[in-house]
Amino acid sequence: MNTPNYFWFFVLSGISLIVFTLAIIKHKEKKRLVQTYFFISGLAYIVDYFILIIFQGYDYKPNLIKTFWFDSTLGSIVSQGLAIPTAASVIAAFHYPFVMIILTTISFIGIEELFIKFELYDHHWWRTWITFLLLPICFYLAKFWYEKLKNPTRVVRYITMYLTISVYSNTLQFLLIVVFSTHLYSAGWFSDPYRNTLALNALIIFLFMFLITFVVMFQFKWYWIAGVLFFKWLLDDFLVKKELLFLAENWNLFYFSILHLITIVLFRFIYVKWFTNIPKHYNQIYR
């Protein structure tokens, strides 16, 4: 295959972005469409954290980054962060029926097999039939969540915001590590140091975002924000002293605090924009 591997990942990304952009233009309830997209993307990030990083069920091969694990994760972002969430959110927003779900699933199966054939993607213990079973579940879950977002309870809002912030933070941290080489983790879980970095970095983000989301939604006060930032600084400082976190010479813990502060302010703004028109009786935890 003479065409570089990354070309086909760019094609898949481009198609996904075009479809999602057209869906936003055409659809009346744009916020619910975007919220559903990030809900599925966040779930996909969590699922791929275990399947790809922890248990290595498969590998992606865009061949755009020299480091194998970073390159494979980039391929995962294209698949789990763009292609699948786009399909799922569009299916949910436009109320596509079972036939369209099956046709979309078959299309993804075809892409998966082609990627395997042209060595863009490899299976280890993962099999295509697992994809065939899970994708319809993913699409129906998107439809379910899309309906829940019509009049969301606190739980629905919290989960949606948590997954949205997790997608943003994981993607941002990945770019910091790959593009700017800001930091590395040394968990000792795997023989490959870059796999260790991805595993511990993502785990910390997934856990810390529970607290960030709580502050964004319920305690957007300066002393809560200061407390959360100080707690994260203490945690990172502990990891540095234990030689589990290594910082580049041009990077320090203060920069992490600035990024977390920006995240809190940014997503408070998004939260207000997304959920300001919620009826009062939906402010209870359960309806």
Side-chain angles (χ1 to χ4, degrees), residues 67-174:
T67 303
F68 169 79
W69 278 101
F70 292 167
D71 193 57
S72 187
T73 302
L74 179 63
S76 172
I77 291 173
V78 172
S79 174
Q80 311 300 330
L82 285 174
I84 291 175
T86 293
S89 58
V90 169
I91 286 172
F94 291 94
H95 306 287
Y96 287 135
F98 175 75
V99 173
M100 184 59 72
I101 288 174
I102 294 301
L103 289 175
T104 305
T105 300
I106 292 172
S107 297
F108 273 104
I109 293 301
I111 293 171
E112 183 169 327
E113 288 298 313
L114 284 174
F115 271 42
I116 292 172
K117 179 179 179 180
F118 293 117
E119 298 182 352
L120 307 171
Y121 171 76
D122 274 342
H123 282 166
H124 293 287
W125 54 265
W126 190 264
R127 295 294 180 267
T128 302
W129 63 265
I130 305 177
T131 306
F132 184 79
L133 291 178
L134 291 182
L135 278 179
I137 295 174
C138 169
F139 297 150
Y140 274 109
L141 183 58
K143 290 167 77 74
F144 169 78
W145 204 255
Y146 180 81
E147 293 304 318
K148 284 291 183 182
L149 285 165
K150 187 174 183 179
N151 290 300
T153 62
R154 280 188 180 183
V155 171
V156 170
R157 282 180 279 155
Y158 183 87
I159 293 173
T160 302
M161 288 301 301
Y162 167 76
L163 292 173
T164 301
I165 298 171
S166 293
V167 169
Y168 165 83
S169 297
N170 269 297
T171 305
L172 176 62
Q173 291 274 336
F174 176 75

Side-chain angles (χ1 to χ4, degrees), residues 18 46 51 60 73 87 127 130 142 145 147 161 165 171 185 190 192 197 199 201 228 260 270 280-282:
I18 290 170
I46 293 172
I51 296 175
Y60 294 94
T73 302
R127 295 294 180 267
I130 305 177
W145 204 255
E147 293 304 318
M161 288 301 301
I165 298 171
T171 305
Y185 287 96
F190 309 103
D192 190 294
T197 291
N201 186 72
V228 166
H260 293 318
I270 292 173
K280 289 184 179 180
H281 64 279
Y282 280 97

Side-chain angles (χ1 to χ4, degrees), residues 13 39 41 67 86 195 220 256 275 281:
S13 300
F39 169 74
S41 184
T67 303
T86 293
R195 187 181 183 186
F220 191 69
F256 281 134
F275 297 113
H281 64 279

Side-chain angles (χ1 to χ4, degrees), residues 21-267:
T21 301
L22 291 175
I24 289 178
I25 293 171
K26 186 176 180 181
H27 196 58
K28 293 181 179 179
E29 296 192 52
K30 304 181 193 308
K31 283 195 293 188
R32 267 210 288 169
L33 172 61
V34 174
Q35 290 162 1
T36 304
Y37 171 91
F38 280 107
F39 169 74
I40 293 297
S41 184
L43 288 179
Y45 268 43
I46 293 172
V47 170
D48 232 31
Y49 171 75
F50 290 101
I51 296 175
L52 176 67
I53 304 299
I54 302 300
F55 298 112
Q56 198 177 5
Y58 41 65
D59 299 320
Y60 294 94
K61 297 181 177 180
N63 290 350
L64 193 60
I65 304 173
K66 291 182 179 180
T67 303
F68 169 79
W69 278 101
F70 292 167
D71 193 57
S72 187
T73 302
L74 179 63
S76 172
I77 291 173
V78 172
S79 174
Q80 311 300 330
L82 285 174
I84 291 175
T86 293
S89 58
V90 169
I91 286 172
F94 291 94
H95 306 287
Y96 287 135
F98 175 75
V99 173
M100 184 59 72
I101 288 174
I102 294 301
L103 289 175
T104 305
T105 300
I106 292 172
S107 297
F108 273 104
I109 293 301
I111 293 171
E112 183 169 327
E113 288 298 313
L114 284 174
F115 271 42
I116 292 172
K117 179 179 179 180
F118 293 117
E119 298 182 352
L120 307 171
Y121 171 76
D122 274 342
H123 282 166
H124 293 287
W125 54 265
W126 190 264
R127 295 294 180 267
T128 302
W129 63 265
I130 305 177
T131 306
F132 184 79
L133 291 178
L134 291 182
L135 278 179
I137 295 174
C138 169
F139 297 150
Y140 274 109
L141 183 58
K143 290 167 77 74
F144 169 78
W145 204 255
Y146 180 81
E147 293 304 318
K148 284 291 183 182
L149 285 165
K150 187 174 183 179
N151 290 300
T153 62
R154 280 188 180 183
V155 171
V156 170
R157 282 180 279 155
Y158 183 87
I159 293 173
T160 302
M161 288 301 301
Y162 167 76
L163 292 173
T164 301
I165 298 171
S166 293
V167 169
Y168 165 83
S169 297
N170 269 297
T171 305
L172 176 62
Q173 291 274 336
F174 176 75
L175 291 175
L176 287 176
I177 292 169
V178 173
V179 178
F180 300 104
S181 302
T182 54
H183 62 289
L184 290 173
Y185 287 96
S186 178
W189 298 344
F190 309 103
S191 59
D192 190 294
Y194 301 109
R195 187 181 183 186
N196 278 316
T197 291
L198 292 170
L200 188 52
N201 186 72
L203 179 61
I204 290 172
I205 290 171
F206 283 133
L207 294 176
F208 185 54
M209 289 310 112
F210 283 114
L211 187 55
I212 290 288
T213 305
F214 177 79
V215 171
V216 165
M217 290 181 60
F218 306 122
Q219 296 294 339
F220 191 69
K221 301 177 178 66
W222 71 265
Y223 48 87
W224 267 93
I225 296 171
V228 166
L229 296 180
F230 183 61
F231 167 76
K232 184 57 165 57
W233 184 89
L234 288 176
L235 174 62
D236 288 339
D237 185 59
F238 172 79
L239 294 175
V240 169
K241 289 177 179 177
K242 292 295 182 179
E243 297 186 347
L244 295 173
L245 171 60
F246 298 90
L247 304 177
E249 290 184 3
N250 60 344
W251 193 260
N252 63 63
L253 299 183
F254 175 73
Y255 297 147
F256 281 134
S257 297
I258 294 297
L259 290 176
H260 293 318
L261 177 60
I262 292 171
T263 299
I264 292 171
V265 174
L266 171 63
F267 282 95

